Amino acid sequence: MTVVFSYLMNMDRWCRLAQRGHIAWVVLIILDILCDVSDCATQAEITKHLEMGREFLSRGQYQDALSHYHAAIEGDNTNAVTFFSRGTVYLALGKANLALTDFDKVLELKPDFVAARVQRGHILLKQARLEEASQELDRVSQWDPHNQDAAHYRNMIDPARDDIALAQAFMRGHDYQAAVDLISKILEICPWSSSLRELRAEAHSALGDNMAAISDIRSTTRLLSDNTAGFYKLSLLHYKLGQAPESLKEIRECLKLDPEHKDCFPHYKKVKKVEKQLTDAQEALQSQDYKRCIDLANKVLISEPKVANIRFQAFDKLCQCYQKDDQISESLRSCQEALDIQMDPRILCDRAEVYITSSMFDEAIRDYHKALDIDEDYQRAKEGIQRAQKLQKQAERRDYYKILGVSRNAGKQEIIKAYRKMAQKWHPDNFQSNESEKKIAEKKFIDIAAAKEVLTDPEKRQKYDNGEDPLDPESGHHQGFNPFQQFHQFHHGSPFQFKFHFN
């Protein structure tokens, strides 16, 4: 009480000191006084926190127990039992390094705390720090020869040491599957060993199982703090798989720990560039800006000359965008480049569509069958085969695109322009002097008019592109096409006078 009264009496003097720039010194004095005042209350609070911590620990509510042990240690950092209790909670939560730090503090305060030494030895065993674990557990056995936990953990160490040596020998001998199997067995005893997980990740990569390698490396980033090497390896593995967004995410984690990391920073710049080019190319494809899509995909090939799975995505975009841009030979070349890297059923179907555009129906059907060999339930391939077969039969009768000399991607204006050119060329009035030539011209003119009728009508063209000729009486959808109407339109305002003569 006297201290509080003195504090109040000197408040005015301390305020003047604060105004003259002695703020830090004044704060220290006030904190010191407040600590003195609260000594009794703090001890009561510490006891309460310890009681609550034990209660929550007994219920398995570890996070709640942890918060109370934190508070108790803040009030008194000389109690070995409190540190041991918190270390036990950390161990239950799988936070080995924090638990180890608390057990180290326990043994600093009380070197003969046997339970802390046993737990410390157990953690070192799980981390595969076998020599340290052995020394710790041997010390316990000297003090307490009948300690069953210490003996149990100690008996695991020598077999684990022999297995690790054998696994390393397997790696040197390139027997990677044997190494994976043995390391998996060792990790049942030493699950917190980052070095063993790195070794198994190396074996997985050698076997081509990059996803399993990623899983192991990710574990090391949780086991080790500031593991920039782990994040760098994760980024490289994702990039090798063609997963540019995931690669970018992992390399950013490395740069959070070290913004100027000698490996992570240059890799970040490269991945960021490639990822943006691929994303922009996809957006260009979706927005039907095919020339921009082609430009961006080709830039990816320049940015990444080696990694196959990244280049695969660029060739995939080129396969689609060249087709949409009516560059058929370039599309076929790019489709083949993609398929040389990965035989993907979707790209086989994309190439089949390019073949259909070029009326190469046998080749299209072959690609659809290849797609089904990879995935027998791939619906697009099943439907594609039926459509290609219909179009092939249709082409044997009358191919409207070929009649007008346009591609299957041609727009309406291009079709009308081609129709006018062909109609002018094959108008029967141009062949009045030769009756046989005139009959040929009449037939061609009827076909030209039919082609224009179908290909300039969206509904009829859709049916035709699906393998059904809307002007074929056998299709069941024939709507009574009248070629004379086309001739009338063609002759409107024309000096030509032409009549058909039918027997």
Side-chain angles (χ1 to χ4, degrees):
M1 195 66 179
T2 304
V3 175
V4 176
F5 180 74
S6 174
Y7 161 70
L8 294 172
M9 291 296 291
N10 287 284
M11 178 65 77
D12 183 66
R13 180 168 62 86
W14 285 339
C15 287
R16 289 196 300 274
L17 285 171
Q19 289 172 356
R20 290 200 294 267
H22 300 283
I23 295 173
W25 181 74
V26 171
V27 170
L28 288 173
I29 291 176
I30 293 172
L31 288 174
D32 184 57
I33 291 170
L34 291 176
C35 288
D36 289 341
V37 171
S38 60
D39 271 349
C40 295
T42 301
Q43 188 56 52
E45 289 174 0
I46 290 170
T47 303
K48 182 66 174 176
H49 283 307
L50 289 173
E51 291 174 357
M52 294 296 294
R54 283 191 291 271
E55 186 177 340
F56 281 123
L57 182 58
S58 67
R59 296 179 191 169
Q61 296 174 245
Y62 299 123
Q63 290 294 346
D64 292 323
L66 198 58
S67 64
H68 284 288
Y69 285 129
H70 284 327
I73 288 171
E74 286 176 8
D76 179 8
N77 63 358
T78 63
N79 190 326
V81 175
T82 308
F83 277 105
F84 180 79
S85 299
R86 189 175 72 173
T88 303
V89 177
Y90 277 138
L91 197 56
L93 291 170
K95 298 181 178 181
N97 291 327
L98 292 173
L100 202 58
T101 300
D102 272 357
F103 294 141
D104 287 344
K105 183 65 177 178
V106 171
L107 296 174
E108 178 187 321
L109 295 169
K110 189 173 174 53
D112 60 348
F113 202 129
V114 172
R117 287 202 181 276
V118 172
Q119 291 296 354
R120 189 174 187 277
H122 188 201
I123 292 172
L124 293 171
L125 171 61
K126 285 190 169 187
Q127 292 179 332
R129 295 163 63 178
L130 301 183
E131 291 304 321
E132 296 173 75
S134 178
Q135 292 171 10
E136 196 70 90
L137 295 169
D138 286 344
R139 190 178 291 117
V140 172
S141 296
Q142 291 173 5
W143 293 346
D144 183 5
H146 303 292
N147 191 299
Q148 294 183 355
D149 288 337
H152 174 67
Y153 299 141
R154 181 63 184 83
N155 290 336
M156 294 181 179
I157 291 176
D158 291 336
R161 185 187 288 116
D162 292 341
D163 284 343
I164 290 172
L166 182 57
Q168 291 169 338
F170 283 145
M171 291 295 291
R172 290 192 296 271
H174 307 297
D175 191 349
Y176 299 114
Q177 188 57 58
V180 166
D181 294 340
L182 186 54
I183 295 169
S184 298
K185 173 189 169 186
I186 303 167
L187 283 170
E188 293 177 8
I189 299 167
C190 309
W192 297 338
S193 171
S194 61
S195 60
L196 284 173
R197 290 191 182 276
E198 286 181 6
L199 191 64
R200 190 170 68 173
E202 185 182 341
H204 280 310
S205 290
L207 292 168
D209 191 351
N210 288 310
M211 291 307 297
I214 284 172
S215 177
D216 273 336
I217 296 297
R218 191 174 303 287
S219 295
T220 70
T221 64
R222 292 191 289 265
L223 292 167
L224 295 175
S225 59
D226 299 336
N227 189 3
T228 53
F231 286 116
Y232 178 59
K233 288 178 183 178
L234 278 178
S235 183
L236 289 177
L237 285 168
H238 279 298
Y239 191 73
K240 185 177 179 180
L241 289 171
Q243 299 168 350
E246 291 82 357
S247 177
L248 190 59
K249 177 184 175 183
E250 300 300 344
I251 207 67
R252 280 174 171 156
E253 291 299 319
C254 174
L255 293 176
K256 286 179 184 178
L257 298 171
D258 183 358
E260 298 180 359
H261 193 282
K262 65 181 181 66
D263 295 320
C264 292
F265 185 66
H267 186 61
Y268 165 73
K269 291 196 294 184
K270 177 179 180 178
V271 176
K272 183 181 179 183
K273 180 180 180 181
V274 169
E275 194 273 339
K276 179 169 174 49
Q277 289 170 341
L278 285 171
T279 300
D280 290 349
Q282 181 61 32
E283 291 176 355
L285 172 60
Q286 291 173 345
S287 63
Q288 301 181 3
D289 189 350
Y290 303 123
K291 292 191 183 301
R292 175 170 165 75
C293 170
I294 291 166
D295 179 59
L296 287 163
N298 278 314
K299 285 181 178 178
V300 173
L301 296 176
I302 295 170
S303 299
E304 182 45 73
K306 295 181 180 179
V307 178
N309 286 323
I310 294 293
R311 292 176 66 81
F312 169 81
Q313 295 176 61
F315 286 125
D316 178 15
K317 300 289 185 299
L318 290 172
C319 172
Q320 298 176 69
C321 292
Y322 274 132
Q323 180 198 1
K324 301 294 185 182
D325 199 47
D326 208 20
Q327 298 186 52
I328 301 305
S329 61
E330 290 298 323
S331 177
L332 289 172
R333 181 186 63 79
S334 299
C335 293
Q336 185 60 55
E337 293 276 11
L339 291 168
D340 286 343
I341 297 170
Q342 180 180 332
M343 192 59 66
D344 187 291
R346 180 182 58 79
I347 295 180
L348 282 166
C349 289
D350 286 343
R351 188 170 71 174
E353 292 294 329
V354 182
Y355 281 136
I356 286 174
T357 301
S358 303
S359 298
M360 300 169 69
F361 302 111
D362 288 334
E363 290 82 352
I365 292 168
R366 181 194 64 206
D367 271 358
Y368 285 130
H369 278 297
K370 284 183 179 179
L372 288 175
D373 289 340
I374 299 170
D375 181 356
E376 61 182 12
D377 295 321
Y378 200 50
Q379 192 61 30
R380 181 183 172 191
K382 291 180 180 179
E383 294 172 355
I385 290 173
Q386 294 177 355
R387 176 168 167 256
Q389 289 173 340
K390 283 184 180 180
L391 289 171
Q392 189 173 40
K393 289 180 181 179
Q394 180 188 87
E396 291 170 357
R397 296 192 298 270
R398 189 160 55 174
D399 187 336
Y400 293 138
Y401 290 103
K402 189 176 290 185
I403 289 168
L404 294 182
V406 296
S407 73
R408 288 182 175 268
N409 293 332
K412 185 174 181 179
Q413 292 304 315
E414 182 182 350
I415 290 168
I416 291 173
K417 182 179 179 181
Y419 158 72
R420 288 173 176 167
K421 180 179 178 181
M422 296 296 289
Q424 183 71 37
K425 177 181 178 180
W426 291 102
H427 195 287
D429 282 356
N430 296 331
F431 301 90
Q432 295 289 348
S433 60
N434 189 311
E435 191 63 28
S436 62
E437 288 182 357
K438 182 178 178 182
K439 288 182 178 180
I440 293 171
E442 289 174 358
K443 173 64 172 64
K444 284 187 175 291
F445 201 94
I446 291 172
D447 288 344
I448 291 165
K452 189 255 187 185
E453 169 74 13
V454 171
L455 299 184
T456 57
D457 184 306
E459 184 178 347
K460 292 178 182 177
R461 184 175 182 180
Q462 182 64 47
K463 289 180 180 179
Y464 184 76
D465 286 344
N466 287 331
E468 174 186 336
D469 188 344
L471 301 186
D472 184 353
E474 295 181 3
S475 69
H477 296 281
H478 180 52
Q479 299 177 356
F481 167 66
N482 181 7
F484 293 101
Q485 182 180 358
Q486 299 291 324
F487 301 146
H488 173 73
Q489 292 172 356
F490 183 77
H491 280 291
H492 185 65
S494 167
F496 288 114
Q497 298 296 321
F498 170 72
K499 295 181 181 178
F500 282 108
H501 301 281
F502 295 103
N503 293 326

